[in-house]
Amino acid sequence: RMTRFDADGNALPQHDGSKTLQSLGAFILWFGWYGFNCGSTLAISGNAANVAGKVAMTTTIAAATGCIVATAFARLFEGHYDVSMGLNGILAG
């Protein structure tokens, strides 16, 4: 905790972590959603294949839209683009 506060007790800025590892984790989760969401149809024959395709499309569009909106909000409110906010948008989408 020596690096958490200065001598006056004020909080110091903390390291955000590795953007590369954050991106890797977000994309691993995003890829895993396809197995979980599309696999929830429990079949790939007949009409279930059409449903699985729609589920995959919805998963992609939701995550991509979340990324775009979160990145735009970061730009709007913080004044700069932030990769971490975009990754959080992917997870929220």
Side-chain angles (χ1 to χ4, degrees):
R1 300 212 31 132
M2 293 175 61
T3 60
R4 174 77 171 106
F5 300 101
D6 63 7
D8 297 329
N10 298 322
L12 296 172
Q14 297 295 305
H15 175 61
D16 290 339
S18 170
K19 302 289 186 194
T20 304
L21 291 177
Q22 290 174 7
S23 299
L24 178 65
F27 288 119
I28 287 172
L29 282 171
W30 192 352
F31 183 73
W33 289 334
Y34 291 109
F36 181 78
N37 292 346
C38 301
S40 295
T41 59
L42 298 177
I44 201 67
S45 61
N47 191 37
N50 293 333
V51 172
K54 290 176 184 176
V55 169
M57 209 51 212
T58 302
T59 300
T60 303
I61 291 172
T65 303
C67 178
I68 291 169
V69 170
T71 304
F73 279 170
R75 172 77 171 135
L76 181 67
F77 293 117
E78 296 176 8
H80 59 88
Y81 295 107
D82 188 5
V83 173
S84 295
M85 289 300 290
L87 296 172
N88 283 331
I90 289 172
L91 299 179

